[in-house]
Amino acid sequence: MRSGFHGQLADLTVMLGELAGLAGRSMADATTALLEVAPIAAEQTIALGAQVRVLRRGCEDRAHSMLALHAPAAANRRMLVSAIRISGDLAGMGGLAGQVADAGRRRFPDRVVPPETGSHFAEMGALSSAMADRVRHALTEPDLSLLTRTRGDNDRMDELRAQSTGAVAGESWQGATGTVDLALLAGLYQRFAQHTVDVAERIVFLATGARPITVD
């Protein structure tokens, strides 16, 4: 660990980037588990979830320690508070991936996702991983276009969520329970995407000092 406030802040930023990477990998593995009915991939997601929780605690402990030891000025204090909130969002993303994997594991060897909507969930999984990776890069190399791009991705995720449920509308996919499960799964991906938007807004706030305008 480096000494001095800015050295420790750089270390904390690296940890947040690692957390974003874990979240993206978790959702990639969870999607594999879901679509390929692969229990090993589900177990990998669960294992990554444990790493996510440990790293989140490490990020929060580091930030709280820096707040206590350095009594930073307002701008630096803002960075640390944002880092704590970002770690919570990223950990939440890992938790959502765990729920996706667990849904597939519970129904094994049956499929949760019907063939008609498999392509939608494949794209949602790929999009989730890409959004997490974009956030990971932006944490170390701030990119003010991140928010616009992430919001666009989030809009696409909303479309995919609607399409995935619409594809089985009127169909009997494992009864009412199967249809509800499908809608809940699509919602997990949408919440993952929204977390990345929240992180992107915090990154832009750190870079500019101005809160982004909320877009409905």
Side-chain angles (χ1 to χ4, degrees), residues 185-203:
L185 272 172
L188 295 175
Y189 283 94
Q190 197 283 325
R191 287 167 59 194
F192 186 102
Q194 183 58 54
H195 273 300
T196 67
V197 173
D198 294 341
V199 172
E201 288 181 348
R202 298 190 198 286
I203 292 173

Side-chain angles (χ1 to χ4, degrees), residues 86-147:
I86 287 172
S87 71
D89 281 317
L90 295 174
M93 290 159 61
L96 291 167
Q99 291 182 55
V100 170
D102 197 48
R105 188 174 60 169
R106 286 197 311 269
R107 298 282 288 275
F108 181 82
D110 295 326
R111 288 186 174 275
V112 182
V113 176
E116 302 93 313
T117 193
S119 62
H120 298 113
F121 277 89
E123 185 176 346
M124 283 193 284
L127 186 58
S128 295
S129 297
M131 293 174 78
D133 194 56
R134 197 168 290 141
V135 164
R136 180 179 65 83
H137 282 293
L139 281 163
T140 53
E141 298 179 14
D143 177 5
L144 296 184
S145 70
L146 171 71
L147 184 54

Side-chain angles (χ1 to χ4, degrees), residues 43-65:
E43 295 300 332
Q44 290 172 340
T45 305
I46 304 303
L48 285 173
Q51 295 180 46
V52 165
R53 291 188 292 275
V54 169
L55 189 52
R56 177 194 181 175
R57 285 195 295 271
C59 290
E60 292 182 342
D61 289 347
R62 177 70 59 87
H64 284 129
S65 175

Side-chain angles (χ1 to χ4, degrees), residues 131 150-158 190 193-194 197:
M131 293 174 78
T150 306
R151 282 174 171 166
D153 289 340
N154 193 41
D155 289 342
R156 176 56 182 161
M157 190 69 81
D158 286 340
Q190 197 283 325
Q194 183 58 54
V197 173

